[in-house]
Amino acid sequence: MSTHGLLVGAAALFLGTHFLLSHPWREPLVRRMGEGPFRGLYSLVALLTFGALLWIYRGIGRETPLWGAGDGLWAAATLVMWAASILFVGSFRGNPALAGAPSAKGRPAGVLAITRHPMMWSFALWAFVHSALIATPKAFVLDATILILALGGAAGQDAKKERLSGERWRSWEAQTSFLPFGRGLAFPGWFALVGGTLLLLVATWAHPVPAGLWRWFG
């Protein structure tokens, strides 16, 4: 099998075990093992499978991009990553989709008025930007894995919350949107806007290659 075939196989293994342990296998394993040991198993499997994916990815070495990333693409990517950073920071405030968070209540505010899955969409946007800028076969596999994990995980969260919370979550779904801005434009809030801007500036400053505004003003 080629190294790219191994990479695809590792990606499939990572995604498959993640979704199986997150949904159909979770309840029976928790009943048999207990919550604590299951979380340990879940973390170990995720670490090993994702570690294998990254090990194969790095082992492939440098690849020739299928297209060049000029200033126009970098500028668009910076704007998209700004939005992703805002969603990511805002997701930590009042997000009922986070593990252990209180059930959804009241009207959506901040980034939750943009999408009910701001953290997952931040990962999906990162994967999209990374794929567009790197433009290599191995990057497409890695980024597709993150994209499927993020958006598939968001859909799985909706189904799980509907089962556990019933009408309360369905009411929340009726007030929110899976797709960003699916219910119209919304202001993310100053906490998310300022925090996301700072996160983008720090992350792009520390990036291995000049990125964000530092590409032009660094």
Side-chain angles (χ1 to χ4, degrees), residues 77-83 85-86 89 194-206 211-214:
T78 299
L79 290 175
V80 174
M81 283 309 303
W82 185 29
S85 300
I86 291 169
V89 170
V194 174
T197 302
L198 291 175
L199 173 62
L200 179 68
L201 290 173
V202 172
T204 50
W205 174 79
L213 294 178
W214 309 109

Side-chain angles (χ1 to χ4, degrees), residues 23-103:
H23 299 288
W25 290 358
R26 180 182 177 85
E27 290 185 10
L29 285 174
V30 167
R31 284 197 302 268
R32 177 170 294 187
M33 303 172 62
E35 185 70 33
F38 172 78
R39 288 182 180 178
L41 174 66
Y42 181 93
S43 299
L44 178 62
V45 171
L47 181 64
L48 290 176
T49 53
F50 193 64
L53 175 63
L54 292 181
W55 182 73
I56 297 170
Y57 178 91
R58 293 181 180 277
I60 291 175
R62 296 182 63 86
E63 294 182 314
T64 302
L66 299 182
W67 59 78
D71 283 346
L73 183 55
W74 272 100
T78 299
L79 290 175
V80 174
M81 283 309 303
W82 185 29
S85 300
I86 291 169
L87 290 176
F88 181 77
V89 170
S91 71
F92 290 98
R93 174 168 284 191
N95 186 355
L98 293 177
S103 298

Side-chain angles (χ1 to χ4, degrees), residues 7-16 18-19 49-50 53-54 57 123-124 126-128 131 137-153:
L7 186 67
V8 172
L13 183 63
F14 170 68
L15 289 172
H18 176 84
F19 286 121
T49 53
F50 193 64
L53 175 63
L54 292 181
Y57 178 91
F123 295 151
W126 175 89
F128 176 76
S131 182
K138 69 174 187 177
F140 293 151
V141 175
L142 176 63
D143 297 329
T145 302
I146 301 301
L147 193 64
I148 294 170
L149 180 68
L151 300 187

